[in-house]
């Protein structure tokens, strides 16, 4: 992989990522984000349509996807790191993702209901139309097939994000400088695009479903949108690759791994002729497992693993206007309009974090000392260099004429990003904790099951509690957005470039581990009246994440490094 200097400056001395190139990058990300967010929201409604009345079907979907990410996300990241062509990798993720969504829509079409099935206002959101195409065992088989496709869709979507954010962006965008497309600004803008899609996609999807005769039209609409956007995504990726020479340069070979005695580690498992299928399968599993362990070793050898784990722990929380909370609100008598407004308000706060982050980093960054940037140069150093290089050698790579490395001229971005993450996780904990007694009060005063209604009787009966819950859940997304931007840039800057995607894959696996606990909880306490237990457990998880991140910040201030 080219070092960061070649990414910052082109051959003619101008910034490598021009304005046009930057906008094409954003367009490519916009198309991927829109399709992902549209299908993500629509799949919740389709699942509730096929299996109305509780969290269980949604939980099974979440558990299946989480287990798949735990098992295979690190392998996806390693595949991206090892792939010789960035373009082919990104295009492969796009075509696989779009194909699985299109095939999945065919299955949803068969099980979501009859031609007159409409969404009204609850999670059992449908008039119980008996004209399903499939019922009983065939319906369950199609749903199970859809779960398998959901695994492929999720892994390909995460691979697309990892490829773009951890493989393309760090090469194109410099960490610091006076140009417009710095790493912090590009990260924030791409997150902003994702969050705007998160605001608009639920509104567009639910609005479309409210005017069409059947939910099946929504299934067809999602499929058509993915078909039509495919060629434009291909064009944007190919154009950007052809215009940026740093993307076309071959990656550096992966550094060999050695054991404690200095001997090279081999992950090859020769297969002998005549082996049975079972023996070959066991051999392949062993190869996969022996590749998984180095990924974990890599993750825990970095300086930022504790801060990343803290971010991952927040995904154990169900306290977010998505998934389980949407199902809870619908089953508690809130209309689809109220849920859509809550989803939009939540995403607006998270979009706000992308505007706040670049400004906050500048304000939270103290004046830099001459050595302040050495930690931010890890990922841009030559990956083939010896890992035992002394600290003086690292500093000698820094251009002495670069004003950002002069103690009177530049901000200490490292400290600014770290403080941003701490502010994010603390604000998240402070906004989510009060929701626990509010949910308990609301559940205590509601009588389940609530009859279907379009006028949100729960909102009418408990306006203050309802609005407080929505406001606090939405406001917590500001802190979550700041935390995610912080941990993302810390990993981009302080994990070696040839390992960034592998690290990101393992990060996704840990996100899924904590997400799995969230989904298991919703499967156990699947009734809406039991949601208070989920809320309490979520508040505890966020509190533990805040404590872990705070401890890591304290170690950073003392100059310590947490490695396993």
């Amino acid at each position: 992989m080219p070092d960061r200097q070649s990414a910052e400056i082109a051959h003619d001395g101008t910034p490598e990522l021009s304005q046009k190139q930057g906008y094409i990058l954003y367009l490519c990300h916009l198309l991927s984000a829109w399709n992902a967010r549209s299908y993500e929201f629509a799949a919740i409604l389709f699942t509730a349509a096929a299996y109305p009345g509780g969290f269980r079907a949604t939980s099974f979907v979440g558990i299946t996807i989480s287990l798949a990410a735990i098992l295979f996300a690190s392998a996806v990241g390693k595949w991206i790191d090892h792939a010789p062509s960035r373009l082919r990798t990104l295009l492969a993720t796009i075509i696989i993702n779009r194909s699985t969504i299109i095939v999945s829509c065919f299955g949803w079409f068969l099980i979501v209901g009859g031609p007159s099935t409409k969404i009204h206002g609850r999670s059992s959101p449908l008039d119980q139309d008996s004209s399903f195409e499939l019922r009983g065992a065939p319906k369950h088989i199609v749903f199970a097939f859809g779960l398998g496709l959901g695994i492929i869709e999720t892994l390909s979507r995460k691979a697309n994000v990892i490829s773009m954010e951890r493989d393309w962006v760090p090469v194109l965008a410099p960490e610091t400088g006076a140009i417009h497309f710095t790493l912090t600004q590009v990260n924030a803008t791409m997150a902003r695009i994702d969050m705007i899609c998160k605001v608009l996609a639920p509104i567009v999807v639910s609005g479309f479903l409210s005017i069409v005769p059947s939910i099946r039209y929504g299934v067809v609409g999602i499929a058509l949108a993915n078909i039509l956007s495919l060629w434009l995504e291909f064009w944007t990726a190919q154009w950007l690759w052809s215009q940026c020479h740093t993307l076309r340069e071959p990656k550096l070979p992966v550094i060999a791994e050695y054991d404690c005695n200095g001997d090279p580690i081999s992950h090859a498992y020769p297969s002998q002729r005549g082996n049975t299928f079972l023996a070959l399968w066991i051999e392949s599993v062993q190869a996969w497992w022996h590749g998984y362990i180095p990924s974990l070793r890599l993750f825990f050898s970095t300086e930022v693993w504790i801060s990343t784990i803290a971010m991952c722990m927040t995904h154990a929380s169900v306290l977010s206007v998505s998934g389980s909370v949407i199902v809870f609100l619908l089953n508690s008598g809130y209309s689809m309009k109220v849920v859509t407004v809550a989803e939009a308000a939540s995403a607006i706060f998270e979009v706000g974090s992308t505007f706040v982050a670049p400004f906050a980093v500048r304000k939270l960054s103290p004046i830099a000392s001459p050595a302040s940037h050495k930690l931010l140069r890890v990922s841009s150093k030559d990956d083939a260099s010896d890992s035992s290089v002394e600290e003086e050698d690292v500093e000698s790579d820094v251009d002495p004429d670069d004003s950002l490395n002069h103690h009177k001229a530049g901000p200490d971005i490292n400290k600014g990003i770290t403080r941003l993450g701490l502010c994010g996780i603390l604000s998240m904990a402070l906004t989510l904790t009060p929701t626990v007694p509010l949910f308990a009060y609301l559940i205590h005063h509601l009588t389940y099951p609530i009859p279907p209604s379009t006028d949100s009787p729960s909102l009418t009966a408990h306006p203050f509690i309802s609005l407080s819950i929505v406001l606090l859940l939405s406001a917590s997304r500001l802190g979550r957005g700041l935390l995610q931007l912080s941990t993302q840039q810390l990993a981009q800057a302080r994990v070696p470039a040839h390992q960034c995607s592998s690290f990101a894959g393992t990060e996704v696996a840990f996100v899924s581990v904590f997400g799995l606990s969230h989904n298991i909880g919703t499967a156990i306490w699947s009734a809406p009246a039991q949601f208070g237990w989920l809320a309490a457990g979520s508040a505890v998880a966020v509190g533990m994440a805040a404590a872990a991140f705070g401890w890591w910040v304290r170690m950073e201030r003392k100059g310590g490094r947490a490695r396993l």
Side-chain angles (χ1 to χ4, degrees), residues 193-234:
I193 290 170
D194 184 52
M195 290 303 104
I196 290 174
C197 292
K198 196 169 186 177
V199 173
L200 296 180
I203 297 174
V204 172
V205 171
S206 59
F208 180 71
L209 292 176
S210 68
I211 62 175
V212 296
S214 169
I215 191 174
R216 287 180 172 179
Y217 285 84
V219 176
V220 174
I222 292 292
L224 289 177
N226 280 270
I227 292 171
L228 295 175
S229 69
L230 183 60
W231 72 270
L232 186 56
E233 288 185 71
F234 266 62

Side-chain angles (χ1 to χ4, degrees), residues 450-461:
I450 298 173
S453 176
T454 59
D455 58 358
S456 284
S458 298
L459 177 62
T460 304

Side-chain angles (χ1 to χ4, degrees), residues 241-263:
W241 181 81
S242 67
Q243 294 296 314
C244 300
H245 77 277
T246 52
L247 291 176
R248 300 192 303 274
E249 290 180 4
K251 299 180 184 179
L252 291 175
V254 177
I255 296 174
E257 298 177 13
Y258 297 89
D259 61 20
C260 58
N261 298 319
D263 299 321

